[in-house]
Amino acid sequence: MVKHGPRPLVICGPSGSGKSTLLKRLFAEYPETFGFSVSHTTRKPRPGEQDGVHYNYVTKEAMEEAIKRGEFLETAVFSGNIYGTSKHAVRQVQAQGKVCVLDIEMQGVEQIRNSDLNPILVFINPPSIEELERRLRGRATETDESLKSRLETAKHEIQYGNKPGNFHCVVHNETLKQAYEELRDFIETELKREKQEGVTVSLKRVPLPEDF
Ligand SMILES: Nc1ncnc2c1ncn2[C@@H]1O[C@H](COP(=O)(O)OP(=O)(O)OP(=O)(O)O)[C@@H](O)[C@H]1O
């Protein structure tokens, strides 16, 4: 069997469920363990952006051909431009001995589940729709309209996330401390097992500041 490095980690959950907050802690506590893949896009680079660093910039034709060849795990269209995560980009992170973290939506999860990447699938579950709304309002990033649409989508996502068999772990994000510990313990156990099986991955931990 070809060795690819550590299994990728898929994090899924409704907007506002706490994915970015939890991942930020994970990256801070394990500075050598995790990495993000570089996505592809058909939009033009903005000043200061570097090809292969911020995105892989490609033409629409090239991207469409690559999608047809099945090279992408997931794609999405925003304001007329195609964006996507290629399998190759994930493999590049794995080749550095890092866990490739993929923050993706339900449709993407279905695609990656059926790929040969063998990802660890984690769902971040908010305590309730009401609390999710409070947190999204607290973040102050949404208009009334986008809030409504996010909450509507969240209902379906919560159902999907809690369906037995859909995820390897469901983290209930009640308090940040408890949710983070659940996530960290699950991932540590998994990575220790992979290490025992001969996969190279660093589990070096650095102390987080009290007020992180
Ligand atoms: N356990 C918690 N208790 C209270 N507030 C929380 C908790 N977890 C996250 N939050 C807050 O909820 C808001 C949404 O969290 P975050 O931005 O991490 O969500 P997200 O899942 O990454 O959303 P998106 O998919 O829209 O990027 C943030 O303001 C965050 O500080």
Side-chain angles (χ1 to χ4, degrees):
M1 202 181 91
V2 189
K3 278 241 168 76
H4 288 300
R7 295 169 75 186
L9 171 66
V10 167
I11 299 277
C12 181
S15 175
S17 59
K19 301 180 296 292
S20 318
T21 309
L22 292 165
L23 285 177
K24 206 171 133 206
R25 280 193 186 205
L26 207 55
F27 274 76
E29 190 167 8
Y30 298 86
E32 295 175 359
T33 309
F34 302 94
F36 285 119
S37 56
V38 180
S39 300
H40 283 63
T41 182
T42 62
R43 85 152 162 74
K44 297 273 171 292
R46 299 193 181 122
E49 286 184 349
Q50 269 175 281
D51 188 29
V53 177
H54 297 91
Y55 282 99
N56 295 303
Y57 301 93
V58 286
T59 62
K60 194 159 177 259
E61 294 69 36
M63 183 110 181
E64 282 169 350
E65 285 304 312
I67 293 170
K68 273 195 216 145
R69 289 195 299 269
E71 291 175 15
F72 279 84
L73 283 172
E74 49 133 19
T75 57
V77 178
F78 295 111
S79 11
N81 297 308
I82 317 175
Y83 293 78
T85 309
S86 73
K87 281 191 205 175
H88 180 68
V90 175
R91 294 280 190 221
Q92 278 183 320
V93 177
Q94 288 182 296
Q96 298 164 25
K98 292 196 171 184
V99 177
C100 183
V101 176
L102 296 154
D103 176 341
I104 53 185
E105 296 181 9
M106 278 193 302
Q107 292 83 349
V109 172
E110 280 311 300
Q111 286 175 266
I112 197 170
R113 184 201 304 289
N114 297 317
S115 78
D116 53 3
L117 286 169
N118 191 25
I120 309 170
L121 303 171
V122 174
F123 186 77
I124 311 297
N125 200 39
S128 63
I129 288 283
E130 292 71 26
E131 179 58 22
L132 187 66
E133 179 169 354
R134 263 193 292 278
R135 289 180 188 174
L136 277 171
R137 283 190 190 280
R139 196 172 68 176
T141 50
E142 309 305 315
T143 60
D144 272 357
E145 205 169 311
S146 72
L147 186 76
K148 214 172 137 210
S149 122
R150 278 169 198 254
L151 292 174
E152 211 36 63
T153 310
K155 289 180 193 155
H156 301 288
E157 291 170 326
I158 291 168
Q159 248 182 0
Y160 173 77
N162 286 280
K163 192 162 166 233
N166 271 356
F167 287 86
H168 299 118
C169 173
V170 177
V171 171
H172 297 278
N173 187 7
E174 302 280 342
T175 73
L176 210 48
K177 183 174 184 294
Q178 148 274 323
Y180 178 67
E181 284 170 5
E182 269 179 41
L183 176 67
R184 183 190 60 198
D185 292 350
F186 170 75
I187 292 168
E188 256 223 28
T189 306
E190 167 58 32
L191 293 183
K192 279 184 180 153
R193 192 174 58 229
E194 288 187 35
K195 254 175 121 74
Q196 276 173 356
E197 288 167 359
V199 172
T200 307
V201 62
S202 163
L203 276 172
K204 190 183 114 183
R205 250 163 107 163
V206 300
L208 287 177
E210 269 304 309
D211 58 348
F212 193 89

